[in-house]
Structure formats: structure tokens, C-alpha cells
Amino acid sequence: MELTKQEKAMLDGKEGYAVKKSMEILVALGDIFGAEKLIDVGSVQVAGVSYHNLGDAGLDFLNSLAEDGRVKVLTTLNPAGMDLENWQQLGISPEFAEKQNLVIDAFTRMGILVSCTCTPYLIGNVPLYGEHIAWSESSAVTFANSVLGARTNREGGPSALAAAFVGKTPCYGLHLDENRVPDINVQVNAELSRLSDWGALGYAIGKKAENKIPYISGIKKATLDELKSFGASLVTYGAKPLFYIKDITPGAELRQQPKETVTIEKTDLDDAYNKINDQVDEIDFVCVGCPHCSIKEVAEIADLIRGKKVATGTELWVATSRTTKQLADKHGYTAIIEAAGGKFACDTCMAVAPLKGRFKALATTSAKGCFYSRQNLMKTKMGSMKECVDAAVTGKWNN
Ligand code: F3S
């Protein structure tokens, strides 16, 4: 990879240890993937924040970088392993909380915004169309590439941090025009009537697209929440973190239609539900907000649960960013949800919190949430927001 004089100086350690280490990571990545140069990035989103995944080795690595590493561009964090304020209410142990706080301290010293969300585009980290960025979390990467038209590979935690310290990333993969061309045509012939249908659609297309970029036709309209749910599912179940929907997402009209075509029928969505849903009636955990809830989703939950009570033995978590929760506080949604016995899980989510063995059966709107909760040994049910709130109130899934 060709380096400028300034980049060579950074690699030689002229800007300190963290920048030197970062340059080593970026140059190694660039060489592996055949990048010709580094390009400036407008923002970074760093995943790998939960102490549950990092462990002590990861914490030591972060502390070593925090000695002299300071980010050069707007950098936000993915969810951590706990709500940074109300971790006790969510049943997190003091030992875990102490370690998680040390992780957050290290990121704070680096100058990173402790936003702890996978929807940074909802709280001020919003890249422009065509802007190069270095983001990590797969649903955020997919949303940025597809809905906003920004350009990012799916960075690992270390390569995203490296991009933040250097302000650049190697120019390969989805940064290049030739790698953003759709290579499978998807005709959707099924009605999408509730949020979870978009997760089922992501599952169905992800399985058929098999690491390709889909160009999707047949969808008349979509909301932001539907697209964020769809992208999260699509990339979890198999496709690249980029999709085009005709007449809805940017760039689609510029593309040639690919040669290969698949169709999605109602039976494909039914099959997705069958694969994602387990045989289970009793629900002890309801978690909505994967990806993190927008304020519109929080309002919908408040509306559905107003005046009701979460069943004894069942927990309802609303996973969202702290910024969105603050808005919910102002509008009274928080008070309604908490009066019903629901809990906010800010800064964290069901996949990165240490939940293994704590709950038996999850109800959620999210296909991605089901995928990760099975790894946490839960049975899963996916359905609409209303079905999830009903499950929280009754402790049962209404099949
Ligand atoms: Fe976000 Fe966690 Fe889901 S990072 S997309 S809420 S698994």
C-alpha cells in the first residue's frame, strides 16, 4: 500500500504508541485485502465494548492504547455489557460492573463518545451519502451502507479503533464502486404488515443471497424502523452488509439489474418464522430494541403497555440509547413503561449483556435478537410489538 510522508511518520511512531500500533493494523489489513491507499473517514463506530466479550486481555489492550491514543474523528461506541447507570436493576453483578466501568474509562480517555448504541445514526453520528466511514456493528454498517449511502466495511473492534486514531482506513471492499454492485435480484411477492415481517424477510433473503448484495423489488414503502430491523436480520442470516430496495434506498436506480433472480413468497416468510420460533409457551424475558429502539418505537411500547402490568416472573427490557431514553423521559414514555414494571436497558443489549442461563424463553420483534439469544441458551419467539407486549403482560406467547 502506498503511504504518504505523514502516514509513514505515523507508522514510524512519530505520533506515539497508539497511532503506531494503529498504522500497523491498517497497513496489515490493507496489504491482505489489496488496498492501494488509506482514505480519510468521517466517523468511526467501535464495537467490542462489553467486558463479557473483551475479558481482561481486551481491557489490558485498551488501557495500553489509552495511554497516548486520542481519536481524530467523531467516534461512538457500540452497546456495552450493562446499563452504565442502572446495571443493578438489570441484575448485573458488582464484579462485572467494576470491570465494565474500567473498559468505559479507557474509551473515555481516548476521546470517544460513550454513546453505547448500535443506532448511532439516531443520535448524531449520521454520515452523508458517499462518505467513507469505519463502523463496526453489523446492523449499523448495513444501515449506513444501504439506507444512508455511506461507505464502510464491517470493521472489527481493533481496526475501527485504529481508524479512529489515524482518521483513515484502507480503501478496499465496500469503499470501492466496483464492490457495491448488486449481484442478486430479489423479487418480493409477499405482504409485510408488521415489524417482525421485516426480520423474517431479512432471514429469507439472507439465506438465499448467500453473501451477495441483493437488489430488491416489489416493496412499495418502508419506515426507518423497518429498514433497521431488516438490515440487522439480512446481515445476520447471510448477505453482505449492503442492500438496495428499488425506489426506496439511494443508489438503487443507478445500478444494473443482476443476472441471477430469486423470489420471496409468503411461504418463505412463514418458513423464516418457523425456523426462528421455538416451541415454547411460557415467556420469562421480553426484550425489544434490537437494533436499539427509536423514540417512535419507545412511544409505541408505552402506548401498548399503558395501564397494564408486566407479569410476575417475566421481565420486559426496552433496549435503547441513553439519548433516546432522555427524550422518552421528557415525553412521559419512561414513566408509563416503568409504572407497568418494564425496565430500560440503555447502553446495552440482549446479545452483549451477560445473560447466559438467566432466562429460559425470549419474546422479541427482532430476528437478529433471536439468533444471539439462542447462543445465550434461550428459546425464542419473534412477533409484532403488540405480541411482545402481550407476552410481557401475560408471561405467555399467544400462538
Ligand atoms: Fe444492536 Fe445488540 Fe441487536 S448491538 S443490533 S441490539 S444484538
Side-chain angles (χ1 to χ4, degrees):
M1 196 163 57
E2 280 285 314
L3 296 183
T4 64
K5 218 168 129 195
Q6 192 210 9
E7 289 162 359
K8 280 185 191 145
M10 288 194 270
L11 186 59
D12 289 343
K14 298 281 188 319
E15 291 193 24
Y17 172 79
V19 172
K20 178 178 168 50
K21 272 272 148 226
S22 299
M23 278 301 293
E24 286 170 5
I25 291 170
L26 298 181
V27 168
L29 262 182
D31 286 343
I32 290 167
F33 290 103
E36 291 177 358
K37 59 178 184 176
L38 294 173
I39 42 167
D40 291 344
V41 291
S43 71
V44 172
Q45 191 243 2
V46 175
V49 181
S50 173
Y51 175 73
H52 186 55
N53 303 327
L54 285 166
D56 283 331
L59 175 56
D60 290 346
F61 175 68
L62 292 177
N63 275 326
S64 70
L65 292 176
E67 286 288 314
D68 68 352
R70 299 294 174 271
V71 299
K72 288 194 168 72
V73 293
L74 172 67
T75 303
T76 54
L77 281 187
N78 207 43
M82 63 181 198
D83 186 308
L84 299 179
E85 292 180 8
N86 291 323
W87 51 269
Q88 278 160 312
Q89 209 201 1
L90 298 183
I92 301 293
S93 72
E95 296 74 29
F96 183 90
E98 192 183 336
K99 294 286 191 179
Q100 184 63 73
N101 281 329
L102 291 174
V103 170
I104 296 298
D105 277 355
F107 283 126
T108 306
R109 277 180 279 140
M110 295 171 193
I112 295 177
L113 286 183
V114 183
S115 53
C116 295
T117 182
C118 53
T119 55
Y121 47 86
L122 293 179
I123 61 151
N125 186 356
V126 192
L128 294 177
Y129 181 82
E131 186 173 358
H132 296 281
I133 57 176
W135 286 19
S136 296
E137 197 280 318
S138 65
S139 77
V141 166
T142 308
F143 192 93
N145 273 323
S146 314
V147 182
L148 304 177
R151 295 182 170 216
T152 178
N153 290 315
R154 188 175 163 183
E155 300 293 343
S159 67
L161 259 185
F165 290 139
V166 172
K168 293 167 190 264
T169 195
C171 187
Y172 70 94
L174 293 176
H175 290 285
L176 298 169
D177 284 349
E178 61 264 34
N179 297 323
R180 299 179 65 88
V181 179
D183 41 19
I184 185 165
N185 199 25
V186 179
Q187 174 63 39
V188 176
N189 297 325
E191 284 294 311
L192 304 166
S193 56
R194 50 188 177 156
L195 182 62
S196 53
D197 289 349
W198 289 81
L201 181 69
Y203 177 100
I205 297 179
K207 292 288 178 193
K208 292 194 183 190
E210 286 178 338
N211 208 26
K212 296 191 179 99
I213 299 170
Y215 176 90
I216 302 163
S217 309
I219 294 177
K220 304 264 177 330
K221 59 182 174 58
T223 65
L224 181 150
D225 292 324
E226 289 163 348
L227 292 177
K228 83 175 160 64
S229 183
F230 169 68
S233 175
L234 180 78
V235 71
T236 298
Y237 290 103
K240 285 218 174 107
L242 170 60
F243 63 84
Y244 297 92
I245 303 182
K246 188 172 184 284
D247 298 333
I248 291 179
T249 66
E253 71 283 1
L254 306 174
R255 313 280 156 178
Q256 277 189 331
Q257 292 219 356
K259 292 194 182 89
E260 186 184 354
T261 297
V262 295
T263 60
I264 299 290
E265 311 292 340
K266 182 175 180 303
T267 49
D268 293 302
L269 299 193
D270 292 344
D271 183 57
Y273 275 102
N274 286 336
K275 295 277 173 26
I276 289 168
N277 284 345
D278 291 310
Q279 283 300 325
V280 65
D281 297 322
E282 309 277 318
I283 299 291
D284 59 353
F285 185 40
V286 179
C287 186
V288 285
C290 173
H292 270 175
C293 282
S294 66
I295 190 65
K296 186 164 167 256
E297 289 175 312
V298 176
E300 188 182 351
I301 297 161
D303 200 35
L304 287 165
I305 207 161
R306 185 192 302 269
K308 298 176 182 162
K309 281 278 177 216
V310 173
T312 307
T314 300
E315 291 201 20
L316 166 65
W317 288 17
V318 178
T320 191
S321 67
R322 187 156 302 284
T323 311
T324 300
K325 156 98 168 20
Q326 283 161 354
L327 207 51
D329 294 349
K330 281 206 166 214
H331 283 271
Y333 305 140
T334 305
I336 295 167
I337 292 167
E338 291 184 342
K343 298 172 182 177
F344 275 80
C346 297
D347 318 310
T348 189
C349 83
M350 66 181 113
V352 297
L355 295 182
K356 195 171 268 179
R358 228 179 105 183
F359 299 106
K360 290 194 181 67
L362 165 83
T364 182
T365 52
S366 168
K368 179 178 179 179
C370 290
F371 178 89
Y372 284 102
S373 295
R374 279 184 174 165
Q375 294 181 358
N376 277 333
L377 308 179
M378 292 178 219
K379 302 275 189 204
T380 57
K381 284 287 188 191
M382 179 177 77
S384 67
M385 199 69 95
K386 179 168 185 328
E387 286 170 308
C388 289
V389 170
D390 286 350
V393 169
T394 60
K396 295 196 185 321
W397 188 259
N398 192 3
N399 282 296

XYZ file of all heavy atoms in Angstrom, residues 23-72:
366
model
N -1.459 2.193 12.872
C -0.943 2.154 11.487
C -0.521 0.732 11.121
O -0.740 0.286 9.987
C 0.231 3.129 11.327
C -0.177 4.570 11.085
S -1.190 4.805 9.598
C -0.012 4.406 8.306
N 0.076 0.028 12.064
C 0.481 -1.364 11.784
C -0.747 -2.213 11.428
O -0.720 -3.008 10.490
C 1.213 -1.954 12.999
C 2.616 -1.395 13.166
C 3.269 -1.775 14.511
O 2.664 -2.551 15.286
O 4.362 -1.270 14.781
N -1.842 -2.004 12.203
C -3.076 -2.764 11.931
C -3.631 -2.404 10.549
O -3.983 -3.265 9.743
C -4.131 -2.474 13.035
C -3.689 -3.073 14.360
C -5.513 -3.002 12.635
C -4.528 -2.641 15.568
N -3.697 -1.094 10.254
C -4.299 -0.644 8.986
C -3.468 -1.083 7.782
O -4.005 -1.482 6.745
C -4.468 0.885 8.994
C -5.389 1.451 10.072
C -5.483 2.967 9.967
C -6.790 0.841 9.996
N -2.137 -1.026 7.919
C -1.262 -1.431 6.801
C -1.392 -2.946 6.577
O -1.478 -3.409 5.427
C 0.204 -1.016 7.079
C 1.153 -1.679 6.094
C 0.337 0.501 7.010
N -1.432 -3.706 7.671
C -1.575 -5.164 7.527
C -2.898 -5.498 6.834
O -2.942 -6.308 5.906
C -1.512 -5.835 8.903
N -3.976 -4.827 7.263
C -5.295 -5.057 6.639
C -5.279 -4.670 5.163
O -5.780 -5.396 4.304
C -6.341 -4.184 7.340
C -7.209 -4.791 8.403
C -8.187 -3.738 8.911
C -7.991 -5.983 7.848
N -4.701 -3.512 4.895
C -4.632 -3.025 3.514
C -3.866 -3.995 2.630
O -4.268 -4.264 1.489
N -2.769 -4.526 3.152
C -1.975 -5.486 2.366
C -2.770 -6.766 2.119
O -2.767 -7.303 1.013
C -0.656 -5.798 3.082
C 0.323 -4.628 2.984
O 0.109 -3.756 2.107
O 1.288 -4.576 3.769
N -3.449 -7.255 3.152
C -4.231 -8.502 2.993
C -5.311 -8.334 1.924
O -5.526 -9.210 1.093
C -4.885 -8.900 4.350
C -3.822 -9.369 5.328
C -5.950 -9.983 4.154
C -4.317 -9.486 6.764
N -5.995 -7.183 1.939
C -7.141 -7.003 1.031
C -6.790 -6.232 -0.249
O -7.674 -5.857 -1.021
C -8.289 -6.304 1.773
C -8.918 -7.204 2.808
C -8.643 -7.042 4.156
C -9.758 -8.244 2.421
C -9.209 -7.880 5.109
C -10.325 -9.087 3.371
C -10.042 -8.915 4.721
N -5.508 -5.982 -0.460
C -5.084 -5.369 -1.730
C -5.441 -3.899 -1.861
O -5.631 -3.401 -2.979
N -5.534 -3.171 -0.741
C -5.819 -1.729 -0.826
C -4.594 -0.999 -1.375
O -3.460 -1.355 -1.060
C -6.178 -1.194 0.558
N -4.841 0.040 -2.183
C -3.714 0.809 -2.731
C -3.332 1.955 -1.827
O -2.218 2.457 -1.877
C -4.087 1.341 -4.114
C -4.201 0.212 -5.137
C -4.636 0.699 -6.504
O -4.886 1.918 -6.663
O -4.748 -0.155 -7.393
N -4.284 2.418 -1.019
C -4.014 3.606 -0.186
C -4.959 3.645 1.016
O -5.924 2.874 1.089
C -4.191 4.865 -1.023
C -5.594 4.962 -1.589
C -5.795 6.242 -2.385
C -7.257 6.291 -2.837
N -7.639 7.472 -3.529
N -4.661 4.576 1.914
C -5.594 4.875 3.003
C -6.486 6.035 2.558
O -6.048 6.901 1.792
C -4.827 5.280 4.266
C -3.953 4.211 4.939
C -3.134 4.843 6.070
C -4.802 3.071 5.495
N -7.732 6.046 3.054
C -8.639 7.169 2.775
C -9.153 7.748 4.093
O -9.288 7.033 5.082
C -9.858 6.738 1.918
C -10.391 5.386 2.398
C -9.537 6.744 0.444
C -11.726 5.044 1.857
N -9.467 9.052 4.053
C -9.998 9.719 5.251
C -11.382 9.175 5.588
O -12.180 8.895 4.694
C -10.147 11.226 4.992
C -8.795 11.902 4.870
O -7.781 11.290 5.271
O -8.753 13.038 4.354
N -11.663 9.033 6.872
C -13.016 8.641 7.288
C -13.671 9.794 8.048
O -13.012 10.544 8.764
C -13.022 7.370 8.174
C -12.635 6.156 7.353
C -12.145 7.512 9.408
N -14.998 9.909 7.865
C -15.747 10.980 8.515
C -16.119 10.652 9.947
O -16.266 11.542 10.783
N -16.291 9.360 10.220
C -16.614 8.955 11.586
C -16.295 7.484 11.781
O -16.079 6.746 10.817
C -18.093 9.219 11.922
O -18.928 8.318 11.217
N -16.273 7.085 13.057
C -15.965 5.700 13.423
C -17.006 5.238 14.433
O -17.497 6.039 15.239
C -14.539 5.606 14.023
C -14.278 4.214 14.596
C -13.487 5.944 12.971
N -17.367 3.955 14.340
C -18.215 3.357 15.374
C -17.496 2.095 15.844
O -17.176 1.213 15.044
C -19.599 3.013 14.817
C -20.599 2.630 15.906
C -21.104 1.197 15.790
O -20.688 0.448 14.925
N -21.986 0.822 16.688
N -17.216 2.034 17.137
C -16.383 0.959 17.684
C -17.239 -0.087 18.391
O -17.986 0.233 19.322
C -15.356 1.542 18.699
C -14.556 0.419 19.360
C -14.430 2.530 18.018
N -17.129 -1.344 17.936
C -17.773 -2.459 18.641
C -16.719 -3.158 19.503
O -15.539 -2.814 19.456
C -18.389 -3.433 17.654
N -17.152 -4.153 20.277
C -16.209 -4.799 21.193
C -16.086 -3.975 22.457
O -14.993 -3.612 22.887
N -17.243 -3.641 23.050
C -17.267 -2.747 24.218
C -17.610 -3.521 25.488
O -17.248 -3.120 26.588
C -18.305 -1.620 23.981
C -18.342 -0.647 25.148
C -17.994 -0.871 22.688
N -18.299 -4.659 25.321
C -18.729 -5.414 26.500
C -17.544 -6.144 27.138
O -16.806 -6.862 26.449
C -19.794 -6.439 26.099
O -20.087 -7.281 27.201
N -17.418 -5.988 28.437
C -16.374 -6.745 29.148
C -16.628 -8.244 29.009
O -15.688 -9.040 29.009
C -16.328 -6.341 30.633
C -15.349 -7.180 31.409
C -13.980 -6.987 31.253
C -15.787 -8.194 32.268
C -13.070 -7.790 31.919
C -14.881 -8.996 32.939
C -13.524 -8.787 32.762
O -12.620 -9.590 33.423
N -17.875 -8.616 28.832
C -18.260 -10.015 28.638
C -17.492 -10.616 27.443
O -17.109 -11.786 27.470
C -19.767 -10.055 28.383
C -20.337 -11.432 28.299
N -20.191 -12.363 29.287
C -21.071 -12.034 27.327
C -20.802 -13.480 28.937
N -21.336 -13.312 27.755
N -17.296 -9.831 26.407
C -16.571 -10.318 25.219
C -15.083 -9.989 25.275
O -14.263 -10.728 24.738
C -17.166 -9.708 23.942
C -18.647 -10.017 23.813
O -19.096 -11.076 24.233
N -19.412 -9.094 23.273
N -14.725 -8.888 25.920
C -13.323 -8.443 25.918
C -12.453 -9.226 26.893
O -11.309 -9.579 26.577
C -13.248 -6.959 26.309
C -13.657 -5.931 25.270
C -13.858 -4.579 25.942
C -12.618 -5.820 24.170
N -12.977 -9.467 28.086
C -12.177 -10.106 29.134
C -11.024 -9.210 29.561
O -10.891 -8.062 29.119
N -10.163 -9.737 30.427
C -9.045 -8.934 30.947
C -8.012 -8.634 29.865
O -7.388 -7.572 29.878
C -8.383 -9.655 32.125
C -9.227 -9.515 33.392
O -9.939 -8.496 33.520
O -9.197 -10.432 34.230
N -7.821 -9.563 28.932
C -6.835 -9.327 27.868
C -7.261 -8.123 27.028
O -6.440 -7.252 26.696
C -6.702 -10.574 26.999
N -8.560 -8.058 26.707
C -9.074 -6.932 25.921
C -8.962 -5.624 26.691
O -8.605 -4.581 26.125
N -9.260 -5.683 27.983
C -9.165 -4.479 28.819
C -7.717 -3.982 28.867
O -7.453 -2.772 28.754
C -9.693 -4.790 30.229
C -9.574 -3.697 31.275
C -10.253 -2.406 30.830
C -10.196 -4.165 32.596
N -6.763 -4.895 29.013
C -5.339 -4.509 29.023
C -4.949 -3.850 27.700
O -4.225 -2.849 27.676
C -4.443 -5.740 29.257
C -4.574 -6.253 30.689
O -5.133 -5.516 31.534
O -4.141 -7.394 30.948
N -5.435 -4.422 26.592
C -5.129 -3.853 25.272
C -5.658 -2.419 25.170
O -4.954 -1.501 24.730
C -5.742 -4.748 24.182
C -5.600 -4.224 22.791
C -4.345 -4.157 22.173
C -6.715 -3.806 22.065
C -4.216 -3.674 20.870
C -6.588 -3.325 20.768
C -5.344 -3.260 20.171
N -6.899 -2.216 25.624
C -7.487 -0.871 25.561
C -6.720 0.107 26.437
O -6.462 1.250 26.044
C -8.961 -0.917 26.003
C -9.906 -1.661 25.069
C -11.314 -1.707 25.657
C -9.937 -1.022 23.687
N -6.336 -0.344 27.639
C -5.582 0.541 28.535
C -4.247 0.931 27.933
O -3.796 2.071 28.080
C -5.389 -0.118 29.897
C -6.580 0.117 30.807
O -7.208 1.178 30.755
N -6.918 -0.869 31.615
N -3.610 -0.009 27.222
C -2.316 0.318 26.610
C -2.497 1.381 25.526
O -1.699 2.306 25.402
C -1.645 -0.943 26.048
O -2.349 -1.400 24.915
N -3.600 1.290 24.763
C -3.851 2.297 23.719
C -4.259 3.640 24.329
O -3.944 4.709 23.791
C -4.954 1.814 22.777
C -4.615 0.620 21.887
C -5.835 0.204 21.077
C -3.454 0.933 20.942
N -4.973 3.592 25.456
C -5.468 4.829 26.082
C -4.345 5.658 26.699
O -4.542 6.831 27.023
C -6.515 4.493 27.136
N -3.170 5.060 26.841
C -2.020 5.811 27.393
C -1.781 7.100 26.609
O -1.662 8.171 27.180
C -0.755 4.945 27.326
C -0.703 3.834 28.359
C -0.451 4.372 29.757
O 0.456 5.221 29.896
O -1.167 3.967 30.688
N -1.694 6.962 25.270
C -1.455 8.179 24.482
C -2.370 8.296 23.258
O -2.210 9.210 22.457
C 0.015 8.274 24.055
C 0.392 7.204 23.034
O -0.431 6.309 22.775
O 1.504 7.277 22.483
N -3.333 7.386 23.126
C -4.195 7.406 21.940
C -5.391 8.334 22.095
O -6.133 8.227 23.069
N -5.565 9.257 21.153
C -6.732 10.148 21.148
C -7.348 10.120 19.754
O -6.633 10.233 18.762
C -6.326 11.602 21.490
C -5.696 11.764 22.865
C -6.687 11.477 24.005
N -6.030 11.506 25.315
C -5.457 10.469 25.924
N -5.458 9.280 25.344
N -4.892 10.588 27.100
N -8.672 9.993 19.670
C -9.300 9.837 18.360
C -9.225 11.133 17.557
O -9.264 12.230 18.121
C -10.765 9.355 18.484
C -10.819 7.995 19.171
C -11.632 10.365 19.226
N -9.129 10.974 16.229
C -9.015 12.147 15.355
C -10.346 12.534 14.713
O -10.467 13.611 14.139
C -8.004 11.850 14.232
C -6.544 11.811 14.691
C -5.605 11.849 13.476
C -4.170 12.114 13.857
N -3.493 11.001 14.517
